[in-house]
Amino acid sequence: MRFKYCPDCAAKLSTKNLGDEKNVPWCDTCGKPWFEMFPCCIIAIAHRDGKYALIRQHGCDDIKDDRFICVSGYIKPDETAQQAVEREIKEELGLDVISLRLISTYAYNKKQLLMIGFSAEVGEGDFRLSDELVEARWFTADEAKEKLRKTSVGNILFEDIIAQESKKND
């Protein structure tokens, strides 16, 4: 989101060159910049005992029936990215996170999001799906790779997780 008016005083913003930043929205009244904002969300692959949990949601018309996605969700203003992962996995799968590992960040240009990717080890128990989900299943690494759309952020996250695991095992 690019501001046209100051969120503090409602004055119309001008632009100002600030060092390397060119044409930054600037409030002459408040004397401060208003950089573009974009939402941040998490994307996580829950795993346990060498299996990976992937989901299918209601209303995802652009995802074919044989494709699955990763758990993801927006970070709320009062939580960290790690807390968002724990909340989303609990809400969507009904599972508790035992440990988290930050993998990388991903620009999701289609929706202008910054996605913060995690690998999340989850505890024992059966799925207790949220109303948002049609299905959740455990997959082996090879099966998961087949179920994620090749160009998706989820697939890139999965490949990064597998690459990091193989480096640890070398």
Side-chain angles (χ1 to χ4, degrees):
M1 167 184 9
R2 187 168 176 89
F3 293 104
K4 293 181 181 179
Y5 296 90
C6 178
D8 286 344
C9 74
K12 186 164 178 61
L13 299 176
S14 60
T15 58
K16 188 172 186 175
N17 291 336
L18 300 175
D20 292 338
E21 302 294 327
K22 306 292 184 223
N23 299 319
V24 173
W26 178 265
C27 179
D28 293 318
T29 304
C30 296
K32 65 181 179 181
W34 289 98
F35 290 92
E36 288 186 57
M37 294 177 63
F38 52 90
C40 291
C41 69
I42 59 88
I43 183 167
I45 297 182
H47 62 89
R48 175 173 70 208
D49 301 327
K51 300 272 187 163
Y52 300 88
L54 299 176
I55 63 173
R56 290 184 49 233
Q57 294 177 312
H58 291 285
C60 288
D61 297 332
D62 59 337
I63 299 175
K64 296 178 184 173
D65 286 343
D66 64 335
R67 296 284 178 212
F68 285 72
I69 61 175
C70 301
V71 170
S72 63
Y74 290 97
I75 301 169
K76 293 182 178 181
D78 62 342
E79 68 185 357
T80 66
Q82 292 86 341
Q83 290 168 330
V85 172
E86 291 173 356
R87 177 182 50 78
E88 287 290 342
I89 288 176
K90 185 69 168 181
E91 286 175 2
E92 293 190 6
L93 299 175
L95 299 173
D96 292 319
V97 173
I98 295 172
S99 67
L100 276 176
R101 189 163 41 98
L102 173 65
I103 302 300
S104 190
T105 59
Y106 307 92
Y108 184 32
N109 295 327
K110 181 179 177 182
K111 293 189 177 182
Q112 294 187 332
L113 296 171
L114 175 64
M115 301 188 86
I116 305 169
F118 289 88
S119 173
E121 182 181 2
V122 295
E124 294 298 320
D126 295 328
F127 293 132
R128 291 183 313 280
L129 302 184
S130 80
D131 292 341
E132 294 177 19
L133 301 188
V134 174
E135 177 180 15
R137 276 200 264 166
W138 292 106
F139 295 100
T140 65
D142 289 339
E143 292 167 337
K145 188 160 182 55
E146 287 299 312
K147 294 296 180 183
L148 292 165
R149 190 167 34 93
K150 301 296 179 229
T151 58
S152 70
V153 173
N155 186 59
I156 298 165
L157 169 63
F158 185 71
E159 288 178 357
D160 289 347
I161 289 170
I162 297 303
Q164 286 186 15
E165 287 175 1
S166 68
K167 283 181 185 177
K168 281 195 317 189
N169 295 331
D170 288 344

